Amino acid sequence: MSKATARGGVPRRPGDEDDICPVCKSSRYLNPNMRFLVNPECYHKMCESCVDRIFSQGPAPCPVAGCNRTLRKQRFRKQTFEDIQVEREVDIRKRVAKVFNRRQDEFETLDDYNDYLEEVETLTFNLLNGVDVSATESKLTEYATQNASIISRNATLEHQESANLEARQAAEREEARLRREAARKEEEDEKKAREEGRKEVLEQLVHGNKPAADVVKESKRVELLKRRRAQQSRALPALPSGTPSANSNPFTFKGLKSTAAPTPEKPYDPFGGLTDERSYYTLQDYYEHPWLDRARTDTHITAGGYTVTEYCARAMFEAFSGLGVFVGEEVAGRGDLPGGNGAGDAVAAAEAAARAEKGVS
Ligand SMILES: [Zn+2]
Ligand SMILES: [Zn+2]
């Protein structure tokens, strides 16, 4: 029976009042092709023929008793949801969302965005439940006129984003299809090659004069070689030109706001930015001094693990580590030191440090 199911496939009882037009009282039982339409002005349901009859001549008042709203034919449409309240709520939400289409990146903080969403929700609630409808409507219109440019920009952005997403999904589907095809072809080729190899071996066994064991051994070697070659070619898959690869971006994201990526957090520094870099001196790799040369080469010294570099680093560090050490003053006395002009920086500095330690200024 065609009566068994109605919109959405929900089984219905015969005589269900949803299947009777409230205007002409004709029922779906007698006219299985009857379609119901609603007008978002008042959401009163009526059949298609009633809409044609009453509103073809232009706007007319709603024929449902007690509802005097003026309806237009072009605004009638098919009901999407079974429940007319849901239908109405979806319409209102759509209308509000069209005006209040701010994006999260337009707000300084997430809290601001959430406040905005809450305000929009309050407005939607008012419209849904008939609280201060006229005031809310006028607020909505005012906002829409004031922010017309932003609203249209955001609408365009949203449209582009959804278009991009669709294009990307299509490209991914195409790529997956190509991959599947390549895998299938590879499998076929391998099968064919295997069969050919087997046929060859049989031929040789029948007509050739080689011993059977040799023939089998040779065929196994050839097969192994072929397989290895196939694996190598698989490791470097050559995509046909024009195929979108995973890395290349075939889309141009026009109009997308250039948002600065948040700077990645630096690893935790327990020293609070303090480094062991010296501001007063640069440690050289090699300091020239006869005494140091001896220490470098004498196995009596180096055998124990002693390194001159370590000594120089330490000497330099100690020379400059004191607070209020004025390098200029210390360098002035360099000529008096043993070693003369040939003395390296390290030695001079070490001597200076030693003097400073003893309290000799
Ligand atoms: Zn009707
Ligand atoms: Zn009505």
Side-chain angles (χ1 to χ4, degrees):
M1 215 204 266
S2 63
K3 190 76 183 63
T5 56
R7 293 177 307 274
V10 181
R12 295 191 156 270
R13 297 186 309 277
D16 192 329
E17 60 171 18
D18 278 5
D19 282 335
I20 299 172
C21 173
V23 181
C24 63
K25 310 291 181 199
S26 70
S27 98
R28 203 197 284 272
Y29 184 68
L30 298 170
N31 181 8
N33 297 327
M34 192 164 79
R35 288 209 313 151
F36 285 105
L37 300 175
V38 289
N39 192 309
E41 198 66 49
C42 66
Y43 292 100
H44 283 135
K45 192 175 76 170
M46 59 196 84
C47 73
E48 215 169 1
S49 64
C50 280
V51 171
D52 279 342
R53 196 183 66 244
I54 300 167
F55 301 99
S56 285
Q57 304 300 319
C62 176
V64 174
C67 173
N68 289 315
R69 284 172 193 268
T70 307
L71 308 180
R72 280 159 209 282
K73 192 187 172 187
Q74 80 224 35
R75 292 205 67 193
F76 275 95
R77 58 178 172 74
K78 242 191 114 186
Q79 194 176 332
T80 315
F81 298 96
E82 190 76 23
D83 189 341
I84 208 74
Q85 288 302 320
V86 176
E87 184 87 25
R88 182 170 162 266
E89 175 161 352
V90 167
D91 278 348
I92 290 177
R93 283 190 181 279
K94 260 188 205 161
R95 189 159 61 93
V96 172
K98 218 175 232 178
V99 175
F100 289 96
N101 62 354
R102 294 255 183 207
R103 301 153 72 86
Q104 196 188 327
D105 52 10
E106 284 180 68
F107 292 89
E108 294 278 339
T109 63
L110 184 63
D111 276 352
D112 289 341
Y113 181 58
N114 283 336
D115 288 348
Y116 157 80
L117 288 180
E118 197 178 334
E119 213 161 294
V120 173
E121 187 55 36
T122 309
L123 194 138
T124 316
F125 179 87
N126 286 352
L127 288 179
L128 283 175
N129 297 287
V131 184
D132 292 337
V133 174
S134 59
T136 313
E137 284 287 358
S138 67
K139 254 198 249 173
L140 190 82
T141 330
E142 201 183 323
Y143 177 86
T145 42
Q146 275 175 5
N147 300 283
S149 64
I150 296 169
I151 288 168
S152 73
R153 191 200 67 191
N154 282 349
T156 319
L157 278 182
E158 207 162 296
H159 177 75
Q160 274 167 355
E161 269 170 15
S162 64
N164 282 337
L165 186 72
E166 263 168 39
R168 196 161 52 224
Q169 280 170 345
E172 269 166 20
R173 273 198 300 275
E174 175 67 12
E175 208 176 312
R177 192 186 64 78
L178 286 173
R179 261 203 309 273
R180 272 200 306 278
E181 208 160 277
R184 192 180 52 76
K185 194 171 171 294
E186 204 171 89
E187 203 175 300
E188 246 171 45
D189 285 354
E190 217 176 279
K191 206 167 152 195
K192 211 191 276 173
R194 231 183 1 248
E195 258 163 36
E196 265 172 25
R198 215 168 284 158
K199 215 186 274 174
E200 222 169 87
V201 170
L202 279 177
E203 288 270 314
Q204 282 188 13
L205 283 176
V206 172
H207 302 294
N209 44 12
K210 269 199 248 175
D214 277 8
V215 171
V216 171
K217 214 166 154 193
E218 171 71 13
S219 84
K220 270 189 183 153
R221 197 182 65 81
V222 168
E223 199 170 313
L224 204 72
L225 214 70
K226 269 184 190 165
R227 201 172 294 167
R228 207 169 288 162
R229 211 170 293 155
Q231 268 172 0
Q232 274 171 359
S233 71
R234 218 173 302 159
L236 294 163
L239 280 169
S241 61
T243 308
S245 76
N247 291 334
S248 75
N249 187 358
F251 312 109
T252 45
F253 295 100
K254 256 192 260 167
L256 264 185
K257 210 172 171 188
S258 57
T259 45
T263 45
E265 244 178 73
K266 281 179 201 145
Y268 172 67
D269 178 13
F271 300 110
L274 206 70
T275 63
D276 65 345
E277 244 171 57
R278 307 291 155 213
S279 48
Y280 290 121
Y281 65 92
T282 322
L283 193 67
Q284 305 292 328
D285 289 336
Y286 184 81
Y287 288 100
E288 205 180 311
H289 190 272
W291 187 87
L292 289 179
D293 284 342
R294 214 183 63 225
R296 275 189 194 100
T297 48
D298 196 339
T299 43
H300 288 102
I301 299 170
T302 57
Y306 180 87
T307 63
V308 175
T309 324
E310 201 71 37
Y311 161 75
C312 290
R314 197 189 158 101
M316 290 292 278
F317 173 75
E318 281 177 356
F320 291 95
S321 61
L323 274 176
V325 173
F326 296 101
V327 182
E329 285 175 17
E330 305 229 13
V331 169
R334 186 190 282 175
D336 308 334
L337 292 174
N341 296 332
D345 281 1
V347 180
E351 294 284 349
R355 276 192 301 146
E357 249 177 46
K358 280 176 202 151
V360 184
S361 57

